[in-house]
Amino acid sequence: MKKISTPYHHGNLRQALLEIAVKLIRERGADALTIREVARRAGVTHTAPYRHFKDKASLLAAVAREGFEMMVKETKDQFSRTTQDALARLKVCGIAYIEFAIHNPARYRVMFGTGRPHGKNSALRKASEASFGLLLECIKECQKEGTVRPGEPMEMALAAWSIVHGFSMLFIDNQIREKGLFAADRESMMDVVVDHLYAGFKPN
Amino acid sequence: MKKISTPYHHGNLRQALLEIAVKLIRERGADALTIREVARRAGVTHTAPYRHFKDKASLLAAVAREGFEMMVKETKDQFSRTTQDALARLKVCGIAYIEFAIHNPARYRVMFGTGRPHGKNSALRKASEASFGLLLECIKECQKEGTVRPGEPMEMALAAWSIVHGFSMLFIDNQIREKGLFAADRESMMDVVVDHLYAGFKPN
DNA sequence: ACCTGAACACCGTTCAAGT
DNA sequence: ACCTGAACACCGTTCAAGT
């Protein structure tokens, strides 16, 4: 009888651990994420993950980093299906951001929920800066186009980020449905919020 | 020799535990909050807290609830120092909200960071609804006054909440300073965000 | 290189017992 | 009523050892 080869050699354990981690958070909450449980589900010893991640925090950081990269990719994909109109792209930024959060609440919470800044982890930092950069560029282009009023783009990007982030957080934390805020569907809530956002950007 | 009386009888243990919990989160992060450590600092056995809180989650819920109550109180205090002008009160809502978050980041994170809704805990739920209610009332009054455009107040309150919550979260998570977003001081950042918010509320 | 097994110092929670 | 001490089933992390 041939030996059944063990599944996670040759470098795919790292990716497997990441996927299991996300699934675990999604299914059972952030508290249920333990290195030992991830290892168990991957079929390896509880110390094996330490070959790929320094500690639990850096496993979470890797999950977060992937998240920012996914978000950027999805936004760019939407861009390519959009007119050259910079204002349209700016709206896509907002919508894509919120949609990512709503469709990946577990991962989104990891991306922002740590309470710890990204400071030291440069890969994570770069990924999150790329995401913010997309928004910033859109705003600058809109200003050139004349579809967004003049003003410090950094400040405007901050206001824009605040509102989409705030809405996303409240939404995935159930604060919105819980308060009976809306019988309305997600789509129209998103539109309300994003429209409000751009109302503040209109040129005079 | 008289026995030294033990400090936490007669019902003040509960309050002591809450204060220690907040201090612990503030000083060493949310991960450092353990029931055992709280008990240790209070000078009681690690099982004593269970007389006052069902489990760790309900200790955290109590910390969160106190937070919402503090926020409402501080906002009302500011109201009493303000003109009858409803628009001025609306701005106070935004500023007081952000200031609370900035001055109590640890507690603020507990108030929103659980990932778990407040659903079951009715005291917590009521406290957070009171906070939202303040904002909602202000918007309605402004509409009567004509200083905020007509529209579903619930939707407008949601947009307002999103932006102050988003800004607060980004700020206390260090996402803002980390990205080199502003050399500017807090005050002016807050003003930018809040001004942007109210720009979207202006009547035509 | 990658993985294991034992070990250490912790957790949250329960429960019978003490005053 | 309020608190204790032992116990249980977990953690994260380290380290010497195996292939």
Side-chain angles (χ1 to χ4, degrees):
Chain A
M1 271 209 244
K2 274 197 171 176
K3 266 205 286 188
I4 294 160
S5 66
T6 60
Y8 293 123
H9 282 253
H10 312 301
N12 52 348
L13 176 56
R14 188 193 148 90
Q15 196 52 40
L17 293 171
L18 286 174
E19 282 161 24
I20 291 165
V22 174
K23 202 184 304 177
L24 209 43
I25 300 170
R26 186 170 52 221
E27 287 169 6
R28 306 189 1 200
D31 289 350
L33 182 78
T34 77
I35 289 218
R36 290 171 104 110
E37 179 62 22
V38 171
R40 228 171 269 133
R41 295 199 178 193
V44 295
T45 317
H46 64 272
T47 55
Y50 287 90
R51 290 292 121 198
H52 300 277
F53 302 100
K54 186 179 145 286
D55 53 21
K56 192 181 171 179
S58 71
L59 204 192
L60 285 170
V63 170
R65 177 195 165 181
E66 270 193 348
F68 283 110
E69 287 165 355
M70 289 162 70
M71 211 160 77
V72 168
K73 188 182 175 310
E74 283 169 22
T75 307
K76 283 183 175 168
D77 284 355
Q78 292 264 4
F79 278 2
S80 67
R81 279 185 234 105
T82 310
T83 56
Q84 284 96 327
D85 187 357
L87 185 63
R89 279 201 299 281
L90 181 54
K91 290 191 180 175
V92 162
C93 274
I95 301 283
Y97 188 101
I98 295 173
E99 288 208 312
F100 175 84
I102 288 177
H103 292 126
N104 307 275
R107 197 188 284 268
Y108 190 77
R109 236 177 251 118
V110 173
M111 288 158 70
F112 290 99
T114 81
R116 203 57 68 215
H118 305 158
K120 274 172 48 187
N121 190 320
S122 69
L124 174 52
R125 189 179 181 148
K126 257 183 205 157
S128 95
E129 271 163 14
S131 157
F132 184 75
L134 237 42
L135 178 62
L136 193 59
E137 283 312 307
C138 280
I139 287 176
K140 287 180 185 168
E141 286 168 24
C142 284
Q143 287 180 322
K144 273 186 210 151
E145 218 182 53
T147 47
V148 157
R149 66 171 167 77
E152 181 52 58
M154 212 59 155
E155 292 179 0
M156 305 182 83
L158 174 61
W161 194 18
S162 292
I163 198 167
V164 294
H165 178 58
F167 179 78
S168 299
M169 277 291 204
L170 293 174
F171 190 90
I172 69 182
D173 274 359
N174 253 321
Q175 300 275 354
I176 290 168
R177 269 163 299 184
E178 207 173 79
K179 292 209 166 30
L181 274 188
F182 279 91
D185 56 315
R186 265 191 349 228
E187 287 286 323
S188 65
M189 272 193 280
M190 266 176 45
D191 286 347
V192 165
V193 169
V194 174
D195 283 354
H196 180 90
L197 170 60
Y198 297 110
F201 281 167
K202 273 201 203 99
N204 293 318
Chain B
M1 269 212 246
K2 275 198 171 175
K3 265 205 285 186
I4 294 160
S5 66
T6 61
Y8 293 122
H9 282 253
H10 314 301
N12 51 348
L13 176 56
R14 187 192 148 89
Q15 196 53 38
L17 293 172
L18 285 175
E19 282 160 24
I20 292 164
V22 174
K23 201 184 304 176
L24 210 43
I25 300 170
R26 186 170 53 222
E27 288 169 5
R28 301 180 17 191
D31 289 349
L33 181 79
T34 75
I35 289 217
R36 289 172 105 110
E37 179 63 22
V38 171
R40 228 171 268 134
R41 295 198 178 194
V44 296
T45 317
H46 65 272
T47 56
Y50 287 90
R51 290 292 122 198
H52 301 277
F53 301 100
K54 185 179 146 288
D55 53 20
K56 192 180 172 180
S58 71
L59 203 191
L60 285 169
V63 169
R65 178 196 165 179
E66 269 193 349
F68 283 110
E69 288 165 355
M70 289 163 70
M71 212 161 76
V72 168
K73 190 184 173 307
E74 283 168 23
T75 307
K76 283 182 175 168
D77 286 356
Q78 292 263 5
F79 278 2
S80 67
R81 279 184 234 106
T82 310
T83 57
Q84 286 96 328
D85 187 356
L87 184 64
R89 279 202 298 282
L90 181 54
K91 290 190 180 173
V92 162
C93 273
I95 301 283
Y97 188 101
I98 295 173
E99 288 209 311
F100 175 85
I102 287 176
H103 292 125
N104 307 275
R107 198 189 284 269
Y108 190 77
R109 236 177 251 119
V110 173
M111 289 158 68
F112 290 100
T114 81
R116 204 57 67 215
H118 305 157
K120 274 172 49 187
N121 190 320
S122 68
L124 175 51
R125 189 178 181 149
K126 258 183 205 155
S128 93
E129 271 163 15
S131 158
F132 185 75
L134 237 43
L135 178 62
L136 191 60
E137 282 313 306
C138 280
I139 287 176
K140 286 180 185 169
E141 286 168 24
C142 283
Q143 287 179 322
K144 272 186 212 151
E145 220 182 51
T147 46
V148 157
R149 67 172 166 75
E152 181 52 59
M154 212 59 154
E155 293 178 0
M156 304 181 82
L158 174 61
W161 195 17
S162 291
I163 198 167
V164 293
H165 178 57
F167 179 78
S168 300
M169 277 294 204
L170 293 175
F171 190 91
I172 69 182
D173 274 359
N174 253 320
Q175 300 275 356
I176 291 169
R177 268 163 301 185
E178 206 173 80
K179 292 208 165 31
L181 274 188
F182 277 90
D185 56 315
R186 268 194 342 234
E187 287 285 323
S188 64
M189 272 193 280
M190 268 175 45
D191 287 346
V192 166
V193 169
V194 174
D195 283 353
H196 181 92
L197 171 60
Y198 296 111
F201 281 166
K202 273 202 203 100
N204 294 318

